[in-house]
Amino acid sequence: MRVLVLHGPNLNLLGEREPHIYGSQTLAEVNEQISTEARQLGLDVQCEQHNGEGQLIDALHAARKQYAGVIINPGAYAHYSYAIADAITAIGLPVVEVHLSNITSREPFRRKSVTASACRAVVSGLGASGYVLALRALAGTLEK
Ligand code: DQA
């Protein structure tokens, strides 16, 4: 069973970008944690990072033929990209949205996610372990 993990804009700078908010792990370290969990769950995981909205949309479109589920951290696009929300709905796969920080306790513009309602579930505020929990949730969903 294949799962795609999509990291959105600025997440390539994890580790150096506001570590008090997003943690000190680099994206490579987060991806390693995701891959370790995926192996234990028997999932084949692919992790990608894209800064562009269109790139994320293209990756979602491509996923519909190749993956059983998707985990996405849309970064700031979560707060205003109806195009990404539409793409998530369009592909018809189970998608879990992850945010490292608790977006509901941050600046007002971050408190709303327009992509979340297109997703099966949202994990926010648990740091990198949010991806691990999302993988476990998807593994259960995919078994059914
Ligand atoms: C984020 C939260 C967003 O508001 C922010 O723009 C990000 C990261 C998170 O993981 O907490 O880039 O998605």
Side-chain angles (χ1 to χ4, degrees), residues 85-103:
D86 280 351
I88 291 169
T89 301
I91 62 172
L93 293 177
V95 178
V96 179
E97 178 166 315
V98 171
H99 295 281
L100 296 156
S101 63
N102 178 358
I103 59 170

Side-chain angles (χ1 to χ4, degrees), residues 62-131:
R64 78 191 192 285
K65 305 262 185 205
Q66 301 171 39
Y67 293 91
V70 178
I71 294 170
I72 186 168
N73 182 343
Y77 291 133
H79 311 305
Y80 65 92
S81 177
Y82 296 103
I84 290 178
D86 280 351
I88 291 169
T89 301
I91 62 172
L93 293 177
V95 178
V96 179
E97 178 166 315
V98 171
H99 295 281
L100 296 156
S101 63
N102 178 358
I103 59 170
T104 63
S105 67
R106 299 188 60 197
E107 305 95 308
F109 79 90
R110 291 188 206 274
R111 291 185 193 156
K112 179 158 176 60
S113 166
V114 301
T115 48
S117 52
C119 293
R120 184 71 64 90
V122 180
V123 186
S124 178
L126 295 176
S129 45
Y131 294 102

Side-chain angles (χ1 to χ4, degrees), residues 25-61:
Q25 277 181 294
T26 64
L27 185 61
E29 288 165 345
V30 170
N31 285 340
E32 190 47 50
Q33 201 176 325
I34 292 169
S35 297
T36 300
E37 181 68 19
R39 267 193 299 278
Q40 282 163 13
L41 292 167
L43 296 175
D44 179 3
V45 78
Q46 160 85 15
C47 299
E48 296 178 11
Q49 189 273 334
H50 301 286
N51 285 317
E53 185 179 23
Q55 291 171 304
L56 287 167
I57 292 168
D58 287 342
L60 285 164
H61 290 177

